[in-house]
PDB file of all heavy atoms in Angstrom:
ATOM      1  N   ILE A   4     177.413  82.862 171.288  1.00 86.00           N
ATOM      2  CA  ILE A   4     176.066  82.734 170.787  1.00 86.00           C
ATOM      3  C   ILE A   4     175.963  81.679 169.703  1.00 86.00           C
ATOM      4  O   ILE A   4     176.905  81.633 168.924  1.00 86.00           O
ATOM      5  CB  ILE A   4     175.526  83.972 170.250  1.00 86.00           C
ATOM      6  CG1 ILE A   4     175.475  85.165 171.365  1.00 86.00           C
ATOM      7  CG2 ILE A   4     174.063  83.804 169.810  1.00 86.00           C
ATOM      8  CD1 ILE A   4     175.083  86.518 170.904  1.00 86.00           C
ATOM      9  N   GLY A  31     176.964  79.868 164.230  1.00 85.00           N
ATOM     10  CA  GLY A  31     177.751  80.439 165.233  1.00 85.00           C
ATOM     11  C   GLY A  31     179.264  80.312 164.906  1.00 85.00           C
ATOM     12  O   GLY A  31     179.602  79.893 163.742  1.00 85.00           O
ATOM     13  N   GLU A  33     182.687  78.566 164.457  1.00 88.00           N
ATOM     14  CA  GLU A  33     182.871  77.130 163.929  1.00 88.00           C
ATOM     15  C   GLU A  33     183.216  76.147 165.058  1.00 88.00           C
ATOM     16  O   GLU A  33     182.658  74.973 164.949  1.00 88.00           O
ATOM     17  CB  GLU A  33     183.992  77.207 162.866  1.00 88.00           C
ATOM     18  CG  GLU A  33     183.938  76.119 161.905  1.00 88.00           C
ATOM     19  CD  GLU A  33     182.675  75.914 161.022  1.00 88.00           C
ATOM     20  OE1 GLU A  33     181.983  76.924 160.579  1.00 88.00           O
ATOM     21  OE2 GLU A  33     182.214  74.763 160.999  1.00 88.00           O
ATOM     22  N   MET A  39     179.060  71.358 169.599  1.00 87.00           N
ATOM     23  CA  MET A  39     177.654  71.251 169.894  1.00 87.00           C
ATOM     24  C   MET A  39     176.939  70.237 168.905  1.00 87.00           C
ATOM     25  O   MET A  39     176.212  69.477 169.373  1.00 87.00           O
ATOM     26  CB  MET A  39     176.888  72.572 169.907  1.00 87.00           C
ATOM     27  CG  MET A  39     177.253  73.511 170.940  1.00 87.00           C
ATOM     28  SD  MET A  39     177.118  73.067 172.554  1.00 87.00           S
ATOM     29  CE  MET A  39     178.739  72.627 173.082  1.00 87.00           C
ATOM     30  N   THR A  48     166.244  52.866 169.586  1.00 86.00           N
ATOM     31  CA  THR A  48     166.245  51.546 170.130  1.00 86.00           C
ATOM     32  C   THR A  48     165.086  50.675 169.517  1.00 86.00           C
ATOM     33  O   THR A  48     164.104  51.351 169.059  1.00 86.00           O
ATOM     34  CB  THR A  48     166.277  51.482 171.637  1.00 86.00           C
ATOM     35  OG1 THR A  48     165.056  52.085 172.089  1.00 86.00           O
ATOM     36  CG2 THR A  48     167.341  52.283 172.253  1.00 86.00           C
ATOM     37  N   ASP A  58     161.930  67.280 171.060  1.00 89.00           N
ATOM     38  CA  ASP A  58     161.549  68.616 171.303  1.00 89.00           C
ATOM     39  C   ASP A  58     162.665  69.630 171.419  1.00 89.00           C
ATOM     40  O   ASP A  58     163.784  69.188 171.762  1.00 89.00           O
ATOM     41  CB  ASP A  58     160.699  68.587 172.611  1.00 89.00           C
ATOM     42  CG  ASP A  58     159.846  69.887 172.947  1.00 89.00           C
ATOM     43  OD1 ASP A  58     158.741  69.936 172.229  1.00 89.00           O
ATOM     44  OD2 ASP A  58     160.299  70.824 173.530  1.00 89.00           O
ATOM     45  N   THR A  68     173.558  72.072 179.547  1.00 88.00           N
ATOM     46  CA  THR A  68     174.256  71.215 180.535  1.00 88.00           C
ATOM     47  C   THR A  68     175.717  71.106 180.178  1.00 88.00           C
ATOM     48  O   THR A  68     176.571  71.064 181.007  1.00 88.00           O
ATOM     49  CB  THR A  68     173.686  69.852 180.771  1.00 88.00           C
ATOM     50  OG1 THR A  68     173.479  69.253 179.507  1.00 88.00           O
ATOM     51  CG2 THR A  68     172.437  70.028 181.481  1.00 88.00           C
ATOM     52  N   LEU A  78     165.228  79.130 166.668  1.00 89.00           N
ATOM     53  CA  LEU A  78     164.436  79.634 165.522  1.00 89.00           C
ATOM     54  C   LEU A  78     163.651  78.558 165.004  1.00 89.00           C
ATOM     55  O   LEU A  78     164.040  77.443 165.019  1.00 89.00           O
ATOM     56  CB  LEU A  78     165.426  80.351 164.486  1.00 89.00           C
ATOM     57  CG  LEU A  78     166.463  81.232 164.979  1.00 89.00           C
ATOM     58  CD1 LEU A  78     167.504  81.511 163.817  1.00 89.00           C
ATOM     59  CD2 LEU A  78     165.882  82.650 165.333  1.00 89.00           C
ATOM     60  N   PRO A  80     160.899  75.711 163.840  1.00 86.00           N
ATOM     61  CA  PRO A  80     160.078  74.693 164.353  1.00 86.00           C
ATOM     62  C   PRO A  80     160.574  74.225 165.772  1.00 86.00           C
ATOM     63  O   PRO A  80     161.800  74.386 166.134  1.00 86.00           O
ATOM     64  CB  PRO A  80     160.182  73.407 163.380  1.00 86.00           C
ATOM     65  CG  PRO A  80     160.908  73.871 162.260  1.00 86.00           C
ATOM     66  CD  PRO A  80     161.426  75.206 162.571  1.00 86.00           C
ATOM     67  N   ASN A  82     159.798  71.095 167.111  1.00 90.00           N
ATOM     68  CA  ASN A  82     159.929  69.553 167.166  1.00 90.00           C
ATOM     69  C   ASN A  82     160.577  69.012 165.863  1.00 90.00           C
ATOM     70  O   ASN A  82     160.402  69.661 164.776  1.00 90.00           O
ATOM     71  CB  ASN A  82     158.451  68.985 167.212  1.00 90.00           C
ATOM     72  CG  ASN A  82     157.750  69.421 168.491  1.00 90.00           C
ATOM     73  OD1 ASN A  82     158.178  69.045 169.568  1.00 90.00           O
ATOM     74  ND2 ASN A  82     156.670  70.041 168.419  1.00 90.00           N
ATOM     75  N   THR A  83     161.218  67.963 166.112  1.00 90.00           N
ATOM     76  CA  THR A  83     161.719  67.172 164.964  1.00 90.00           C
ATOM     77  C   THR A  83     161.258  65.743 165.145  1.00 90.00           C
ATOM     78  O   THR A  83     161.288  65.112 166.242  1.00 90.00           O
ATOM     79  CB  THR A  83     163.283  67.171 164.957  1.00 90.00           C
ATOM     80  OG1 THR A  83     163.798  68.433 164.801  1.00 90.00           O
ATOM     81  CG2 THR A  83     163.859  66.203 163.871  1.00 90.00           C
ATOM     82  N   VAL A  99     153.087  43.682 143.316  1.00 93.00           N
ATOM     83  CA  VAL A  99     153.020  44.923 142.419  1.00 93.00           C
ATOM     84  C   VAL A  99     152.122  44.756 141.285  1.00 93.00           C
ATOM     85  O   VAL A  99     151.346  45.533 140.884  1.00 93.00           O
ATOM     86  CB  VAL A  99     154.444  45.257 142.068  1.00 93.00           C
ATOM     87  CG1 VAL A  99     154.518  46.387 141.031  1.00 93.00           C
ATOM     88  CG2 VAL A  99     155.289  45.660 143.281  1.00 93.00           C
ATOM     89  N   MET A 115     134.825  54.664 132.383  1.00 89.00           N
ATOM     90  CA  MET A 115     133.714  54.124 131.629  1.00 89.00           C
ATOM     91  C   MET A 115     132.323  54.522 132.149  1.00 89.00           C
ATOM     92  O   MET A 115     131.413  54.873 131.502  1.00 89.00           O
ATOM     93  CB  MET A 115     133.860  52.621 131.389  1.00 89.00           C
ATOM     94  CG  MET A 115     134.924  52.297 130.422  1.00 89.00           C
ATOM     95  SD  MET A 115     134.969  50.527 129.899  1.00 89.00           S
ATOM     96  CE  MET A 115     135.188  49.653 131.361  1.00 89.00           C
ATOM     97  N   LEU A 124     128.851  58.913 124.414  1.00 88.00           N
ATOM     98  CA  LEU A 124     128.582  58.441 123.036  1.00 88.00           C
ATOM     99  C   LEU A 124     127.630  59.289 122.270  1.00 88.00           C
ATOM    100  O   LEU A 124     127.788  59.742 121.156  1.00 88.00           O
ATOM    101  CB  LEU A 124     128.154  57.036 123.029  1.00 88.00           C
ATOM    102  CG  LEU A 124     127.863  56.329 121.750  1.00 88.00           C
ATOM    103  CD1 LEU A 124     129.164  56.354 120.888  1.00 88.00           C
ATOM    104  CD2 LEU A 124     127.352  54.946 121.841  1.00 88.00           C
ATOM    105  N   HIS A 127     129.160  62.705 121.475  1.00 91.00           N
ATOM    106  CA  HIS A 127     130.067  62.498 120.320  1.00 91.00           C
ATOM    107  C   HIS A 127     129.244  62.419 119.037  1.00 91.00           C
ATOM    108  O   HIS A 127     129.562  62.932 117.911  1.00 91.00           O
ATOM    109  CB  HIS A 127     130.989  61.375 120.535  1.00 91.00           C
ATOM    110  CG  HIS A 127     132.152  61.687 121.379  1.00 91.00           C
ATOM    111  ND1 HIS A 127     132.947  60.754 121.830  1.00 91.00           N
ATOM    112  CD2 HIS A 127     132.659  62.867 121.934  1.00 91.00           C
ATOM    113  CE1 HIS A 127     133.894  61.253 122.693  1.00 91.00           C
ATOM    114  NE2 HIS A 127     133.690  62.578 122.717  1.00 91.00           N
ATOM    115  N   ILE A 134     128.894  68.694 112.903  1.00 90.00           N
ATOM    116  CA  ILE A 134     130.153  69.168 112.097  1.00 90.00           C
ATOM    117  C   ILE A 134     130.048  68.559 110.689  1.00 90.00           C
ATOM    118  O   ILE A 134     130.243  69.263 109.610  1.00 90.00           O
ATOM    119  CB  ILE A 134     131.431  68.540 112.774  1.00 90.00           C
ATOM    120  CG1 ILE A 134     131.704  69.349 114.015  1.00 90.00           C
ATOM    121  CG2 ILE A 134     132.551  68.757 111.798  1.00 90.00           C
ATOM    122  CD1 ILE A 134     132.839  68.789 114.923  1.00 90.00           C
ATOM    123  N   SER A 140     126.775  55.678 114.088  1.00 88.00           N
ATOM    124  CA  SER A 140     126.625  55.151 115.442  1.00 88.00           C
ATOM    125  C   SER A 140     127.956  55.095 116.248  1.00 88.00           C
ATOM    126  O   SER A 140     127.941  55.187 117.452  1.00 88.00           O
ATOM    127  CB  SER A 140     126.267  53.630 115.357  1.00 88.00           C
ATOM    128  OG  SER A 140     127.008  52.907 114.463  1.00 88.00           O
ATOM    129  N   ALA A 141     129.017  55.123 115.542  1.00 87.00           N
ATOM    130  CA  ALA A 141     130.495  55.154 116.239  1.00 87.00           C
ATOM    131  C   ALA A 141     131.212  56.266 115.490  1.00 87.00           C
ATOM    132  O   ALA A 141     131.909  55.965 114.540  1.00 87.00           O
ATOM    133  CB  ALA A 141     131.100  53.804 116.056  1.00 87.00           C
ATOM    134  N   LEU A 145     135.936  61.406 116.354  1.00 88.00           N
ATOM    135  CA  LEU A 145     136.023  62.178 117.566  1.00 88.00           C
ATOM    136  C   LEU A 145     136.480  61.307 118.678  1.00 88.00           C
ATOM    137  O   LEU A 145     137.174  61.852 119.513  1.00 88.00           O
ATOM    138  CB  LEU A 145     134.604  62.663 117.882  1.00 88.00           C
ATOM    139  CG  LEU A 145     134.017  63.822 117.015  1.00 88.00           C
ATOM    140  CD1 LEU A 145     132.658  64.166 117.423  1.00 88.00           C
ATOM    141  CD2 LEU A 145     134.941  65.072 117.010  1.00 88.00           C
ATOM    142  N   GLY A 156     145.845  64.541 128.969  1.00 85.00           N
ATOM    143  CA  GLY A 156     145.433  65.380 130.040  1.00 85.00           C
ATOM    144  C   GLY A 156     145.808  64.843 131.399  1.00 85.00           C
ATOM    145  O   GLY A 156     146.162  65.594 132.289  1.00 85.00           O
ATOM    146  N   ILE A 158     148.543  63.081 131.868  1.00 80.00           N
ATOM    147  CA  ILE A 158     149.921  63.323 132.143  1.00 80.00           C
ATOM    148  C   ILE A 158     150.259  64.757 132.500  1.00 80.00           C
ATOM    149  O   ILE A 158     150.942  64.984 133.345  1.00 80.00           O
ATOM    150  CB  ILE A 158     150.604  62.904 130.738  1.00 80.00           C
ATOM    151  CG1 ILE A 158     150.645  61.507 130.486  1.00 80.00           C
ATOM    152  CG2 ILE A 158     152.060  63.506 130.716  1.00 80.00           C
ATOM    153  CD1 ILE A 158     151.064  61.025 129.073  1.00 80.00           C
ATOM    154  N   LEU A 164     155.908  62.320 133.195  1.00 71.00           N
ATOM    155  CA  LEU A 164     155.844  61.382 132.046  1.00 71.00           C
ATOM    156  C   LEU A 164     156.860  60.384 132.574  1.00 71.00           C
ATOM    157  O   LEU A 164     158.001  60.578 132.552  1.00 71.00           O
ATOM    158  CB  LEU A 164     156.276  61.947 130.777  1.00 71.00           C
ATOM    159  CG  LEU A 164     156.241  60.998 129.606  1.00 71.00           C
ATOM    160  CD1 LEU A 164     154.843  60.588 129.365  1.00 71.00           C
ATOM    161  CD2 LEU A 164     156.677  61.855 128.285  1.00 71.00           C
ATOM    162  N   ASP A 186     149.779  66.862 158.106  1.00 92.00           N
ATOM    163  CA  ASP A 186     148.731  66.426 158.996  1.00 92.00           C
ATOM    164  C   ASP A 186     149.324  65.282 159.844  1.00 92.00           C
ATOM    165  O   ASP A 186     149.049  65.151 161.082  1.00 92.00           O
ATOM    166  CB  ASP A 186     147.452  66.040 158.415  1.00 92.00           C
ATOM    167  CG  ASP A 186     146.692  67.259 157.730  1.00 92.00           C
ATOM    168  OD1 ASP A 186     147.034  68.355 158.188  1.00 92.00           O
ATOM    169  OD2 ASP A 186     145.859  67.069 156.874  1.00 92.00           O
ATOM    170  N   GLU A 195     152.519  62.099 170.716  1.00 74.00           N
ATOM    171  CA  GLU A 195     153.784  61.778 171.585  1.00 74.00           C
ATOM    172  C   GLU A 195     153.731  62.694 172.823  1.00 74.00           C
ATOM    173  O   GLU A 195     154.095  62.289 173.865  1.00 74.00           O
ATOM    174  CB  GLU A 195     154.911  62.129 170.790  1.00 74.00           C
ATOM    175  CG  GLU A 195     155.347  61.048 169.752  1.00 74.00           C
ATOM    176  CD  GLU A 195     155.756  59.739 170.439  1.00 74.00           C
ATOM    177  OE1 GLU A 195     156.409  59.669 171.353  1.00 74.00           O
ATOM    178  OE2 GLU A 195     155.257  58.642 169.789  1.00 74.00           O
ATOM    179  N   LYS A 198     151.614  61.304 175.555  1.00 64.00           N
ATOM    180  CA  LYS A 198     152.091  60.111 176.258  1.00 64.00           C
ATOM    181  C   LYS A 198     152.989  60.523 177.462  1.00 64.00           C
ATOM    182  O   LYS A 198     153.203  59.808 178.377  1.00 64.00           O
ATOM    183  CB  LYS A 198     152.930  59.296 175.270  1.00 64.00           C
ATOM    184  CG  LYS A 198     152.206  58.544 174.314  1.00 64.00           C
ATOM    185  CD  LYS A 198     152.995  57.698 173.326  1.00 64.00           C
ATOM    186  CE  LYS A 198     152.288  57.040 172.238  1.00 64.00           C
ATOM    187  NZ  LYS A 198     153.174  56.453 171.260  1.00 64.00           N
TER     188      LYS A 198
END
Side-chain angles (χ1 to χ4, degrees):
I4 300 175
E33 200 58 44
M39 295 298 106
T48 63
D58 195 85
T68 50
L78 309 166
N82 296 296
T83 296
V99 171
M115 287 190 297
L124 178 61
H127 282 167
I134 293 172
S140 59
L145 290 176
I158 289 169
L164 182 60
D186 291 341
E195 286 294 320
K198 289 177 189 174

